[in-house]
Amino acid sequence: MKKPDYIFEYRMEVRDYECDLQGIVNNANYQHYTEHTRHMFLHRLGMSFAELHDRGTDAVVAEMNMRFKKPLRSDDEFVSRLAFAREGLRYVFYQDIFRLPDDVMAFSSRVDIVCLVGGRLGRCPELEEKIESFTRGEL
Amino acid sequence: MKKPDYIFEYRMEVRDYECDLQGIVNNANYQHYTEHTRHMFLHRLGMSFAELHDRGTDAVVAEMNMRFKKPLRSDDEFVSRLAFAREGLRYVFYQDIFRLPDDVMAFSSRVDIVCLVGGRLGRCPELEEKIESFTRGEL
Amino acid sequence: MKKPDYIFEYRMEVRDYECDLQGIVNNANYQHYTEHTRHMFLHRLGMSFAELHDRGTDAVVAEMNMRFKKPLRSDDEFVSRLAFAREGLRYVFYQDIFRLPDDVMAFSSRVDIVCLVGGRLGRCPELEEKIESFTRGEL
Amino acid sequence: MKKPDYIFEYRMEVRDYECDLQGIVNNANYQHYTEHTRHMFLHRLGMSFAELHDRGTDAVVAEMNMRFKKPLRSDDEFVSRLAFAREGLRYVFYQDIFRLPDDVMAFSSRVDIVCLVGGRLGRCPELEEKIESFTRGEL
């Protein structure tokens, strides 16, 4: 499947304590960055995972594939971009990170999220509608 | 006040990702180590913070004083020791960390914990009794 | 390709501060667990990433694919298992995590590592030999 | 000693993964926040810890006293403020964190930093001069 266009981006900066022995960002922090970006995207849609949870729907990461391209370093600023596609019961977020100001791709990932509705795999119509409205520029 | 004797200890090891640019454990991890040690101590007493919370009592850290003596490094093993005293409404944990095998003190701290009972500062008789029993060797 | 047999395992426990809002281990920590397991495996071989680095070879994660099966929770103990295969210039570690004592698979991953020799993609004969000796039971 | 006036501030936001089981920021993250603030302050002065290190001077935290006032929560924005005083060979940073927009104090700390010059306790004239110039508005 062709990767869809980015629909959201969020700017962040490397914090020194995220760097490891080699002076580069420890790999696990890219997961934090993408997680935070998804949360900011949901806020932009006027939703939150906590709210969904209270109404009986849990959105959980089922699978994540990551490619580490170019390490970010202490003091780097970067932009985290997000694209979205639905594949059956999977909500797929393509999340890439680009170093600033040169826009070099530092990290590329695909995050597959599934919804558990009352504990069982299901769809989350609210999330789908909000993302569609957002993509059409209505939100 | 004289520092009381240690009543509990827990053995741990440095994990590589806890080290920073200088190859030494990032300071914030000592807080993690002491927190984990308190939780293991509570388990030893047959209690947990989650349980206390469910019965309306929250134990929270009000103050923490830390001295960084000798940095731990990648692959170091260490033992985390704990002493306890009650001072009015404060439950004071003295928590020190010693590098193994030479037993050099790496870190020393005093952690003041208070109990919020139904949101108000109060005592936690269950915690006091359990620690007393434990200190007398009855647990 | 068929996944090879596990050749190494390492026992760990969840530390409370690794759990997030839902009371389950935050996903990024599985990356930490697998990283720590690889380091312990290298130690078992009598090698370290620091040493390799000093001799001009850097082993870096190029790609990582993760499946989140069953969330680990506060106080869970688990065993982290590792299998190995070489595919051209890629050193592939299959790293799975099983909850104890019921041995349920919590997490499954494939980690592709490449070696940069003097900054260029290359092989790391020492790593290959050590792993072969280890697999034959000679180490 | 009276606490001096703040001379620097830095705005940050809570990232979801920094919150623990209770939905509040895990205590160890306040240490990260203050560390990052000091680094940003040094950058503002045109200095960095890495640079100092290369010239033989290591600035290390010897002691840190923290008071946890009001827990920050998921999505909170906050401002981290810094005051400075020299006490003999100790460089003292008073670092407080205020929740936005209501400016309630969430966290208060005193961080004592010492300089190791070629491994021995010493002064760091460059740091002192830069801070003095900055305080006089010359930087």
Side-chain angles (χ1 to χ4, degrees):
Chain A
M1 208 201 100
K2 211 188 138 285
K3 183 165 145 182
D5 291 336
Y6 298 122
I7 54 172
F8 179 76
E9 67 175 44
Y10 190 69
R11 199 176 167 130
M12 298 174 81
E13 69 185 357
V14 173
R15 297 177 183 169
D16 265 29
Y17 60 80
E18 297 168 339
C19 295
D20 65 14
L21 294 161
Q22 284 89 40
I24 58 178
V25 169
N26 179 285
N27 287 338
N29 287 297
Y30 294 96
Q31 240 184 106
H32 285 323
Y33 297 158
T34 54
E35 184 186 318
H36 189 56
T37 304
R38 286 197 306 280
H39 288 217
M40 295 317 281
F41 176 57
L42 246 71
H43 282 302
R44 179 63 190 78
L45 300 182
M47 298 175 70
S48 84
F49 289 118
E51 231 177 71
L52 280 176
H53 172 81
D54 291 344
R55 273 177 284 156
T57 298
D58 281 303
V60 299
V61 177
E63 194 173 337
M64 181 167 183
N65 298 319
M66 307 182 287
R67 284 162 192 268
F68 302 92
K69 302 282 195 177
K70 193 96 193 166
L72 291 174
R73 298 181 172 279
S74 186
D75 300 324
D76 277 347
E77 289 191 273
F78 60 90
V79 61
S80 172
R81 298 195 173 105
L82 177 155
F84 174 81
R86 187 169 68 78
E87 297 186 8
L89 288 177
R90 295 205 161 203
Y91 299 101
V92 182
F93 292 85
Y94 296 92
Q95 297 195 247
D96 302 330
I97 286 175
F98 298 85
R99 187 176 63 192
L100 293 175
D102 61 9
D103 221 45
V104 165
M105 184 183 275
F107 172 84
S108 176
S109 70
R110 174 191 156 129
V111 187
D112 288 27
I113 286 180
V114 294
C115 284
L116 301 174
V117 185
R120 305 188 66 152
L121 206 61
R123 288 178 66 171
C124 179
E126 189 190 351
L127 180 65
E128 297 178 21
E129 284 158 27
K130 286 275 175 82
I131 293 182
E132 271 171 46
S133 302
F134 180 79
T135 307
R136 285 194 305 266
E138 293 168 13
L139 260 183
Chain B
M1 207 202 102
K2 211 187 139 284
K3 185 165 145 183
D5 291 336
Y6 299 121
I7 55 172
F8 179 75
E9 68 175 43
Y10 190 69
R11 198 177 167 127
M12 297 174 82
E13 68 186 356
V14 173
R15 297 178 182 168
D16 265 29
Y17 59 80
E18 298 168 339
C19 296
D20 65 14
L21 294 161
Q22 284 90 39
I24 58 177
V25 168
N26 179 284
N27 286 338
N29 287 298
Y30 295 97
Q31 227 176 304
H32 284 322
Y33 297 157
T34 54
E35 186 186 317
H36 189 56
T37 305
R38 285 196 306 280
H39 288 218
M40 296 316 281
F41 176 56
L42 247 72
H43 282 302
R44 179 63 190 77
L45 300 182
M47 299 175 70
S48 84
F49 289 120
E51 233 177 70
L52 279 176
H53 171 81
D54 291 344
R55 274 177 282 156
T57 298
D58 281 303
V60 299
V61 176
E63 195 174 336
M64 182 168 181
N65 297 321
M66 307 182 287
R67 284 161 192 269
F68 301 93
K69 302 282 194 177
K70 193 95 192 168
L72 291 174
R73 299 181 172 278
S74 187
D75 300 325
D76 277 347
E77 289 191 272
F78 59 91
V79 60
S80 172
R81 298 195 174 106
L82 178 156
F84 174 81
R86 188 169 68 79
E87 297 186 7
L89 288 177
R90 294 204 161 204
Y91 299 101
V92 183
F93 292 84
Y94 296 92
Q95 297 194 248
D96 302 330
I97 286 174
F98 298 85
R99 188 175 64 192
L100 293 175
D102 61 9
D103 221 45
V104 165
M105 185 184 275
F107 172 84
S108 176
S109 70
R110 175 191 154 129
V111 188
D112 288 27
I113 286 180
V114 294
C115 283
L116 302 174
V117 185
R120 307 188 65 151
L121 206 61
R123 288 177 67 171
C124 179
E126 190 191 349
L127 181 64
E128 298 178 21
E129 284 157 28
K130 286 275 174 83
I131 293 182
E132 271 171 47
S133 302
F134 179 79
T135 308
R136 286 195 304 266
E138 294 168 12
L139 260 183
Chain C
M1 209 201 100
K2 211 188 138 284
K3 184 165 146 184
D5 291 337
Y6 299 121
I7 55 172
F8 180 76
E9 67 175 43
Y10 190 69
R11 198 176 167 130
M12 299 173 80
E13 68 184 358
V14 173
R15 297 177 183 169
D16 265 29
Y17 59 81
E18 297 167 340
C19 295
D20 65 13
L21 294 161
Q22 283 90 39
I24 58 177
V25 168
N26 180 284
N27 286 338
N29 287 298
Y30 294 96
Q31 226 175 307
H32 284 323
Y33 297 157
T34 55
E35 186 186 318
H36 189 56
T37 305
R38 285 196 307 281
H39 288 218
M40 296 316 281
F41 176 57
L42 247 70
H43 281 303
R44 179 63 190 78
L45 300 182
M47 299 174 70
S48 84
F49 289 119
E51 231 177 72
L52 279 176
H53 172 81
D54 290 345
R55 274 178 282 156
T57 297
D58 281 303
V60 300
V61 176
E63 195 174 336
M64 183 168 181
N65 297 320
M66 307 181 289
R67 284 161 191 268
F68 302 93
K69 303 282 195 178
K70 194 95 193 166
L72 291 174
R73 299 182 171 277
S74 187
D75 299 325
D76 277 347
E77 289 191 272
F78 60 91
V79 61
S80 172
R81 298 195 174 104
L82 177 157
F84 174 81
R86 187 168 69 79
E87 296 186 7
L89 288 178
R90 296 205 160 201
Y91 299 101
V92 183
F93 292 84
Y94 296 92
Q95 297 194 248
D96 302 330
I97 286 175
F98 298 84
R99 186 175 64 192
L100 294 176
D102 61 9
D103 221 45
V104 165
M105 184 183 275
F107 172 83
S108 175
S109 71
R110 176 191 153 129
V111 187
D112 287 27
I113 286 180
V114 294
C115 284
L116 302 174
V117 185
R120 307 189 64 152
L121 207 61
R123 287 177 66 170
C124 180
E126 190 191 349
L127 181 65
E128 298 178 21
E129 284 158 27
K130 286 275 176 79
I131 293 183
E132 271 172 47
S133 302
F134 179 80
T135 308
R136 285 194 306 266
E138 293 168 13
L139 261 181
Chain D
M1 209 201 101
K2 209 186 138 287
K3 183 165 145 183
D5 291 336
Y6 298 121
I7 55 172
F8 179 75
E9 68 174 44
Y10 190 70
R11 198 178 166 129
M12 298 173 81
E13 68 185 357
V14 173
R15 296 176 183 170
D16 265 29
Y17 59 81
E18 297 167 340
C19 296
D20 64 14
L21 294 160
Q22 284 91 38
I24 57 177
V25 168
N26 179 284
N27 286 339
N29 287 298
Y30 294 97
Q31 228 177 304
H32 284 322
Y33 296 158
T34 54
E35 185 186 318
H36 190 55
T37 304
R38 286 196 306 280
H39 288 217
M40 296 316 280
F41 176 57
L42 246 71
H43 282 301
R44 179 64 190 76
L45 299 182
M47 298 174 71
S48 84
F49 290 118
E51 231 177 72
L52 279 176
H53 172 81
D54 291 343
R55 275 178 281 157
T57 298
D58 282 303
V60 300
V61 176
E63 194 174 335
M64 182 167 181
N65 298 321
M66 307 181 288
R67 283 162 192 268
F68 301 93
K69 303 281 195 177
K70 192 95 193 166
L72 291 174
R73 298 181 172 279
S74 187
D75 299 324
D76 277 347
E77 289 191 272
F78 60 90
V79 61
S80 172
R81 297 195 174 106
L82 177 156
F84 174 82
R86 188 169 68 78
E87 297 186 6
L89 287 177
R90 294 205 160 202
Y91 299 100
V92 183
F93 292 85
Y94 295 92
Q95 298 195 248
D96 302 331
I97 286 176
F98 298 85
R99 188 175 63 190
L100 293 176
D102 62 9
D103 221 46
V104 165
M105 184 183 275
F107 172 83
S108 177
S109 70
R110 174 192 155 128
V111 187
D112 287 27
I113 285 180
V114 294
C115 284
L116 301 175
V117 185
R120 305 189 64 152
L121 207 61
R123 288 178 65 172
C124 180
E126 190 190 350
L127 181 64
E128 297 178 21
E129 284 158 26
K130 286 275 174 81
I131 294 183
E132 272 171 45
S133 302
F134 180 79
T135 307
R136 286 195 305 265
E138 293 167 14
L139 259 183

